[in-house]
Amino acid sequence: MLRDMHVTDDPARIGFYSGITESAFSLAVMLAIYPWARVSDHVGRKPVLLSGTIGVALATLSFMLALNFPWIVVSRFVAGLCSGNSAAVHSIVGEMVDDSNAAQVYPIYGLSFPLGTTIGAFIGGTFAYAPLKWPFIFRGSFFKTYPYAVPSLISACFTFTSVIFGAIYLEETHPDKTKANLRKTASSDITIVRSLEPPPSALTLIRIPRIRSLTISGFFLCFLSSSFDIVFTLFAFTPIPLGGLGFRPFRIGLAISISGIM
């Protein structure tokens, strides 16, 4: 996409601009994840999860329509801000499980990321340049102007569908926001006195040895995983004369999908 926009005339510098794009997303997630968690403590997990997911879908559509590099960066940054609601996802899972099912639930939850990587990479690689592959289906100037519109639309549709299913079937898990607790509070004459102390800050939490160790381990795991994904994609995309593999988008998506399965 960056090459097609002629962001730079030097193919060897595509990686620099790609890094800026991905860094914008990661930076936004880092800035937003703790505020999203605080908001979910006040309004509930479900509203935060659904609203953030809607934001990701809209940011994906904006990314699809991007006509210049700043537009791409802003779209990815907004997507990162909305993706900070992943904190609510972790809270939902933690509030749903107990000692009797934790060993089964957490592995299933952990499969969501590699499954999403597998399906997403395959969709992106398969439907990139869809008007050139299937001109009898994707006609018109819109698909010619936006050659990555089809995978973006598919991704946005998946996201909006997940919002619909979440709105219908996902139950609130926040202890103070569940329906049973609300009914109990409404029918009770007992006044519940809660602590007025503010929740601990991120700096306070990071001083706890176990949380600090977990944070450092998570940082290095994410660093290595993200570095491999981005560098491999650039290596596969770079032309052979410049030291790369010269893969087309379909082969890159297929390779990433296979790595997700493994």
Side-chain angles (χ1 to χ4, degrees), residues 41 173-178 181-182 185 194:
D41 286 340
T173 61
H174 191 291
D176 295 340
K177 306 294 181 180
T178 58
N181 191 66
L182 291 175
T185 303
R194 302 193 182 278

Side-chain angles (χ1 to χ4, degrees), residues 31 36 59 117 119 123 127 165 204 212 227-228 230:
L31 295 175
W36 271 120
T117 300
I119 298 176
I123 290 175
F127 292 97
F165 274 89
T204 301
R212 184 170 59 249
S227 298
F228 172 80
I230 294 173

Side-chain angles (χ1 to χ4, degrees), residues 181-239:
N181 191 66
L182 291 175
R183 286 195 298 266
K184 182 179 179 180
T185 303
S187 61
S188 175
D189 295 331
I190 301 176
T191 301
I192 301 176
V193 180
R194 302 193 182 278
S195 174
L196 298 179
E197 294 182 2
S201 64
L203 183 60
T204 301
L205 293 174
I206 207 68
R207 290 173 178 169
I208 302 175
R210 289 188 178 182
I211 295 181
R212 184 170 59 249
S213 299
L214 183 62
T215 302
I216 294 174
S217 299
F219 166 79
F220 282 107
L221 286 173
C222 291
F223 176 80
L224 293 173
S225 176
S226 299
S227 298
F228 172 80
D229 291 341
I230 294 173
V231 171
F232 172 77
T233 301
L234 291 173
F235 175 62
F237 165 81
T238 301

Side-chain angles (χ1 to χ4, degrees), residues 154-177:
I154 294 175
S155 175
C157 287
F158 268 110
T159 307
F160 280 122
T161 301
S162 69
V163 171
I164 295 174
F165 274 89
I168 297 174
Y169 297 107
L170 180 65
E171 297 183 2
E172 179 60 63
T173 61
H174 191 291
D176 295 340
K177 306 294 181 180

Side-chain angles (χ1 to χ4, degrees), residues 30-54:
M30 184 184 68
L31 295 175
I33 191 167
Y34 197 71
W36 271 120
R38 296 287 295 271
V39 171
S40 72
D41 286 340
H42 292 282
V43 303
R45 318 300 186 200
K46 185 174 180 178
V48 166
L49 179 61
L50 297 182
S51 59
T53 305
I54 292 174

Side-chain angles (χ1 to χ4, degrees), residues 19-208:
I20 293 177
T21 304
E22 292 304 314
S23 296
F25 177 86
S26 300
L27 175 63
V29 173
M30 184 184 68
L31 295 175
I33 191 167
Y34 197 71
W36 271 120
R38 296 287 295 271
V39 171
S40 72
D41 286 340
H42 292 282
V43 303
R45 318 300 186 200
K46 185 174 180 178
V48 166
L49 179 61
L50 297 182
S51 59
T53 305
I54 292 174
V56 171
L58 295 177
T60 301
L61 296 178
S62 174
F63 181 83
M64 172 191 73
L65 300 173
L67 296 175
N68 52 60
F69 181 66
W71 191 340
I72 290 177
V73 174
V74 171
S75 297
R76 291 297 291 163
F77 188 83
V78 173
L81 290 177
C82 297
S83 297
N85 69 343
S86 58
V89 180
H90 302 324
S91 298
I92 290 173
V93 176
E95 290 164 349
M96 290 176 60
V97 303
D98 53 35
D99 293 339
S100 65
N101 57 14
Q104 291 76 35
V105 173
Y106 283 117
I108 296 175
Y109 170 63
L111 289 174
S112 59
F113 183 80
L115 180 62
T117 300
T118 301
I119 298 176
F122 182 78
I123 290 175
T126 301
F127 292 97
Y129 299 105
L132 298 179
K133 298 176 181 178
W134 305 288
F136 53 92
I137 298 178
F138 303 103
R139 304 175 182 177
S141 59
F142 176 81
F143 292 106
K144 293 181 180 179
T145 306
Y146 306 103
Y148 295 92
V150 176
S152 298
L153 288 172
I154 294 175
S155 175
C157 287
F158 268 110
T159 307
F160 280 122
T161 301
S162 69
V163 171
I164 295 174
F165 274 89
I168 297 174
Y169 297 107
L170 180 65
E171 297 183 2
E172 179 60 63
T173 61
H174 191 291
D176 295 340
K177 306 294 181 180
T178 58
K179 293 181 179 180
N181 191 66
L182 291 175
R183 286 195 298 266
K184 182 179 179 180
T185 303
S187 61
S188 175
D189 295 331
I190 301 176
T191 301
I192 301 176
V193 180
R194 302 193 182 278
S195 174
L196 298 179
E197 294 182 2
S201 64
L203 183 60
T204 301
L205 293 174
I206 207 68
R207 290 173 178 169
I208 302 175

